[in-house]
Amino acid sequence: MGYIHCCGGLRKTRSFMIAPRQGFVVCELDYLKKCPICGNFVIQFTRVTENNEMKVSRYINKSAVKFWDKIKSKIIYEEKFIDYSKPSKGTFYLNYNEFGIKKRCYSNLSNLKIGLNSTY
Ligand SMILES: [Zn+2]
């Protein structure tokens, strides 16, 4: 998702893909470290079942910390979104149609082993 609704607005979050349990096809977690208005730590857990039903759970502060401790070992990867909220040279409206669909391909550069120095 990349956003959590809190205090009458959408707050940008970090998003993580979670290994789905049996019966679910997608598990996604949105992580809002601190809402700029209320200061709450909010986690929203979105799951889609095999029957295409969406289930959303929300955890705040203490329960969010508890849930995070439980779920973080099941994270597959962090999602990276292109920020379409920043307009660029008139292409903003074109891009807007695909908001939330286009995701940046993310590759882990630390896996690259180019020019390893053998003197170490
Ligand atoms: Zn809030």
Side-chain angles (χ1 to χ4, degrees):
M1 301 284 159
Y3 291 90
I4 283 179
H5 199 264
C6 193
C7 299
L10 290 174
R11 315 292 163 201
K12 203 170 189 314
T13 63
R14 291 175 73 186
S15 293
F16 301 94
M17 286 307 283
I18 309 292
R21 282 208 212 140
Q22 211 180 354
F24 294 96
V25 285
V26 177
C27 289
E28 198 181 34
L29 185 145
D30 288 302
Y31 180 104
L32 179 65
K33 180 112 192 175
K34 199 177 175 190
C35 170
I37 311 294
C38 64
N40 280 343
F41 170 33
V42 187
I43 280 179
Q44 198 161 285
F45 190 44
T46 308
R47 287 168 301 171
V48 179
T49 69
E50 284 167 346
N51 304 322
N52 257 327
E53 281 175 83
M54 202 190 240
K55 292 177 191 284
V56 180
S57 318
R58 197 178 166 103
Y59 304 87
I60 294 170
N61 292 335
K62 270 186 190 166
S63 59
V65 173
K66 241 185 188 172
F67 184 73
W68 176 248
D69 278 344
K70 207 174 71 181
I71 203 79
K72 64 185 175 190
S73 64
K74 297 185 174 70
I75 290 171
I76 312 171
Y77 62 88
E78 181 172 1
E79 290 186 80
K80 298 286 174 187
F81 296 93
I82 298 172
D83 190 357
Y84 285 135
S85 64
K86 288 176 194 151
S88 59
K89 290 172 191 163
T91 58
F92 176 65
Y93 291 104
L94 252 173
N95 286 334
Y96 189 78
N97 288 331
E98 295 185 67
F99 182 82
I101 295 164
K102 259 191 196 171
K103 289 170 192 174
R104 187 179 295 161
C105 183
Y106 181 63
S107 59
N108 192 348
L109 291 173
S110 66
N111 286 337
L112 287 174
K113 289 189 173 69
I114 295 171
L116 267 183
N117 196 328
S118 57
T119 56
Y120 283 108

PDB file of all heavy atoms in Angstrom, residues 1 6 19 27 32 45 50 56 66 71 77-78 87 90 120:
ATOM      1  N   MET A   1       0.836  -1.192   0.000  1.00  0.00           N
ATOM      2  CA  MET A   1       0.000   0.000   0.000  1.00  0.00           C
ATOM      3  C   MET A   1       0.880   1.255   0.000  1.00  0.00           C
ATOM      4  O   MET A   1       0.789   2.083  -0.869  1.00  0.00           O
ATOM      5  CB  MET A   1      -0.895   0.026   1.248  1.00  0.00           C
ATOM      6  CG  MET A   1      -1.809  -1.185   1.351  1.00  0.00           C
ATOM      7  SD  MET A   1      -3.198  -1.093   0.214  1.00  0.00           S
ATOM      8  CE  MET A   1      -3.619  -2.823   0.135  1.00  0.00           C
ATOM      9  N   CYS A   6      -4.544   7.986   8.903  1.00  0.00           N
ATOM     10  CA  CYS A   6      -4.533   8.344  10.326  1.00  0.00           C
ATOM     11  C   CYS A   6      -4.756   9.839  10.467  1.00  0.00           C
ATOM     12  O   CYS A   6      -4.219  10.623   9.681  1.00  0.00           O
ATOM     13  CB  CYS A   6      -3.203   7.943  10.969  1.00  0.00           C
ATOM     14  SG  CYS A   6      -3.217   8.009  12.771  1.00  0.00           S
ATOM     15  N   ALA A  19       5.638 -13.336   4.212  1.00  0.00           N
ATOM     16  CA  ALA A  19       5.360 -14.681   3.708  1.00  0.00           C
ATOM     17  C   ALA A  19       3.927 -15.058   4.082  1.00  0.00           C
ATOM     18  O   ALA A  19       3.586 -15.075   5.257  1.00  0.00           O
ATOM     19  CB  ALA A  19       6.344 -15.669   4.312  1.00  0.00           C
ATOM     20  N   CYS A  27       0.238 -11.062   1.700  1.00  0.00           N
ATOM     21  CA  CYS A  27       0.286 -10.470   3.029  1.00  0.00           C
ATOM     22  C   CYS A  27       1.209  -9.265   2.961  1.00  0.00           C
ATOM     23  O   CYS A  27       2.367  -9.395   2.578  1.00  0.00           O
ATOM     24  CB  CYS A  27       0.830 -11.451   4.064  1.00  0.00           C
ATOM     25  SG  CYS A  27      -0.313 -12.769   4.437  1.00  0.00           S
ATOM     26  N   LEU A  32       4.008   2.649  10.048  1.00  0.00           N
ATOM     27  CA  LEU A  32       4.082   4.100  10.267  1.00  0.00           C
ATOM     28  C   LEU A  32       4.720   4.334  11.626  1.00  0.00           C
ATOM     29  O   LEU A  32       4.106   4.128  12.659  1.00  0.00           O
ATOM     30  CB  LEU A  32       2.675   4.713  10.213  1.00  0.00           C
ATOM     31  CG  LEU A  32       2.572   6.221  10.452  1.00  0.00           C
ATOM     32  CD1 LEU A  32       3.257   7.011   9.355  1.00  0.00           C
ATOM     33  CD2 LEU A  32       1.107   6.637  10.562  1.00  0.00           C
ATOM     34  N   PHE A  45      -1.912  -4.369   8.766  1.00  0.00           N
ATOM     35  CA  PHE A  45      -1.593  -5.657   8.182  1.00  0.00           C
ATOM     36  C   PHE A  45      -2.718  -6.031   7.229  1.00  0.00           C
ATOM     37  O   PHE A  45      -3.865  -6.166   7.641  1.00  0.00           O
ATOM     38  CB  PHE A  45      -1.450  -6.684   9.309  1.00  0.00           C
ATOM     39  CG  PHE A  45      -0.885  -8.006   8.871  1.00  0.00           C
ATOM     40  CD1 PHE A  45       0.205  -8.075   8.020  1.00  0.00           C
ATOM     41  CD2 PHE A  45      -1.437  -9.201   9.334  1.00  0.00           C
ATOM     42  CE1 PHE A  45       0.744  -9.295   7.633  1.00  0.00           C
ATOM     43  CE2 PHE A  45      -0.915 -10.428   8.950  1.00  0.00           C
ATOM     44  CZ  PHE A  45       0.177 -10.476   8.101  1.00  0.00           C
ATOM     45  N   GLU A  50      -7.429 -16.618  -0.637  1.00  0.00           N
ATOM     46  CA  GLU A  50      -7.550 -17.283  -1.934  1.00  0.00           C
ATOM     47  C   GLU A  50      -8.877 -16.935  -2.607  1.00  0.00           C
ATOM     48  O   GLU A  50      -9.019 -17.028  -3.809  1.00  0.00           O
ATOM     49  CB  GLU A  50      -7.425 -18.802  -1.760  1.00  0.00           C
ATOM     50  CG  GLU A  50      -5.988 -19.225  -1.530  1.00  0.00           C
ATOM     51  CD  GLU A  50      -5.843 -20.651  -1.043  1.00  0.00           C
ATOM     52  OE1 GLU A  50      -6.862 -21.249  -0.632  1.00  0.00           O
ATOM     53  OE2 GLU A  50      -4.715 -21.168  -1.065  1.00  0.00           O
ATOM     54  N   VAL A  56      -8.044  -6.613   6.852  1.00  0.00           N
ATOM     55  CA  VAL A  56      -7.121  -5.599   7.338  1.00  0.00           C
ATOM     56  C   VAL A  56      -7.136  -5.563   8.863  1.00  0.00           C
ATOM     57  O   VAL A  56      -8.193  -5.489   9.480  1.00  0.00           O
ATOM     58  CB  VAL A  56      -7.490  -4.202   6.776  1.00  0.00           C
ATOM     59  CG1 VAL A  56      -6.508  -3.148   7.286  1.00  0.00           C
ATOM     60  CG2 VAL A  56      -7.499  -4.217   5.255  1.00  0.00           C
ATOM     61  N   LYS A  66       4.338  -5.179  19.779  1.00  0.00           N
ATOM     62  CA  LYS A  66       4.177  -6.617  19.985  1.00  0.00           C
ATOM     63  C   LYS A  66       4.043  -7.349  18.654  1.00  0.00           C
ATOM     64  O   LYS A  66       4.688  -8.364  18.401  1.00  0.00           O
ATOM     65  CB  LYS A  66       2.904  -6.864  20.804  1.00  0.00           C
ATOM     66  CG  LYS A  66       3.137  -7.547  22.131  1.00  0.00           C
ATOM     67  CD  LYS A  66       1.774  -7.798  22.717  1.00  0.00           C
ATOM     68  CE  LYS A  66       1.836  -8.304  24.138  1.00  0.00           C
ATOM     69  NZ  LYS A  66       0.493  -8.349  24.715  1.00  0.00           N
ATOM     70  N   ILE A  71       6.061 -10.454  13.768  1.00  0.00           N
ATOM     71  CA  ILE A  71       5.956 -10.595  12.323  1.00  0.00           C
ATOM     72  C   ILE A  71       7.286 -10.356  11.598  1.00  0.00           C
ATOM     73  O   ILE A  71       7.483 -10.832  10.479  1.00  0.00           O
ATOM     74  CB  ILE A  71       4.851  -9.641  11.767  1.00  0.00           C
ATOM     75  CG1 ILE A  71       4.310 -10.133  10.423  1.00  0.00           C
ATOM     76  CG2 ILE A  71       5.342  -8.212  11.655  1.00  0.00           C
ATOM     77  CD1 ILE A  71       3.301 -11.247  10.527  1.00  0.00           C
ATOM     78  N   TYR A  77      10.621  -9.074   1.827  1.00  0.00           N
ATOM     79  CA  TYR A  77      11.380  -7.916   1.353  1.00  0.00           C
ATOM     80  C   TYR A  77      10.596  -6.636   1.613  1.00  0.00           C
ATOM     81  O   TYR A  77       9.394  -6.682   1.875  1.00  0.00           O
ATOM     82  CB  TYR A  77      11.710  -8.033  -0.142  1.00  0.00           C
ATOM     83  CG  TYR A  77      10.502  -8.091  -1.060  1.00  0.00           C
ATOM     84  CD1 TYR A  77       9.916  -6.924  -1.552  1.00  0.00           C
ATOM     85  CD2 TYR A  77       9.969  -9.325  -1.446  1.00  0.00           C
ATOM     86  CE1 TYR A  77       8.826  -6.983  -2.392  1.00  0.00           C
ATOM     87  CE2 TYR A  77       8.877  -9.393  -2.287  1.00  0.00           C
ATOM     88  CZ  TYR A  77       8.304  -8.219  -2.755  1.00  0.00           C
ATOM     89  OH  TYR A  77       7.218  -8.284  -3.587  1.00  0.00           O
ATOM     90  N   GLU A  78      11.322  -5.516   1.560  1.00  0.00           N
ATOM     91  CA  GLU A  78      10.665  -4.220   1.695  1.00  0.00           C
ATOM     92  C   GLU A  78      10.312  -3.705   0.315  1.00  0.00           C
ATOM     93  O   GLU A  78      11.107  -3.761  -0.611  1.00  0.00           O
ATOM     94  CB  GLU A  78      11.597  -3.231   2.396  1.00  0.00           C
ATOM     95  CG  GLU A  78      10.927  -1.875   2.571  1.00  0.00           C
ATOM     96  CD  GLU A  78      11.728  -0.904   3.435  1.00  0.00           C
ATOM     97  OE1 GLU A  78      12.822  -1.262   3.903  1.00  0.00           O
ATOM     98  OE2 GLU A  78      11.240   0.223   3.644  1.00  0.00           O
ATOM     99  N   PRO A  87       5.393  16.215  -8.533  1.00  0.00           N
ATOM    100  CA  PRO A  87       5.196  16.378  -9.976  1.00  0.00           C
ATOM    101  C   PRO A  87       6.516  16.631 -10.697  1.00  0.00           C
ATOM    102  O   PRO A  87       7.390  17.297 -10.165  1.00  0.00           O
ATOM    103  CB  PRO A  87       4.286  17.604 -10.079  1.00  0.00           C
ATOM    104  CG  PRO A  87       4.268  18.230  -8.742  1.00  0.00           C
ATOM    105  CD  PRO A  87       4.845  17.298  -7.735  1.00  0.00           C
ATOM    106  N   GLY A  90       5.291  18.007 -15.953  1.00  0.00           N
ATOM    107  CA  GLY A  90       4.002  17.814 -16.616  1.00  0.00           C
ATOM    108  C   GLY A  90       3.584  16.377 -16.827  1.00  0.00           C
ATOM    109  O   GLY A  90       2.546  16.116 -17.402  1.00  0.00           O
ATOM    110  N   TYR A 120      42.935  -8.375   1.180  1.00  0.00           N
ATOM    111  CA  TYR A 120      42.373  -8.414   2.524  1.00  0.00           C
ATOM    112  C   TYR A 120      42.485  -9.809   3.082  1.00  0.00           C
ATOM    113  O   TYR A 120      41.781 -10.631   3.094  1.00  0.00           O
ATOM    114  CB  TYR A 120      40.912  -7.928   2.507  1.00  0.00           C
ATOM    115  CG  TYR A 120      40.852  -6.429   2.393  1.00  0.00           C
ATOM    116  CD1 TYR A 120      40.436  -5.820   1.223  1.00  0.00           C
ATOM    117  CD2 TYR A 120      41.261  -5.629   3.468  1.00  0.00           C
ATOM    118  CE1 TYR A 120      40.395  -4.443   1.130  1.00  0.00           C
ATOM    119  CE2 TYR A 120      41.223  -4.250   3.364  1.00  0.00           C
ATOM    120  CZ  TYR A 120      40.789  -3.655   2.196  1.00  0.00           C
ATOM    121  OH  TYR A 120      40.758  -2.313   2.111  1.00  0.00           O
TER     122      TYR A 120
END
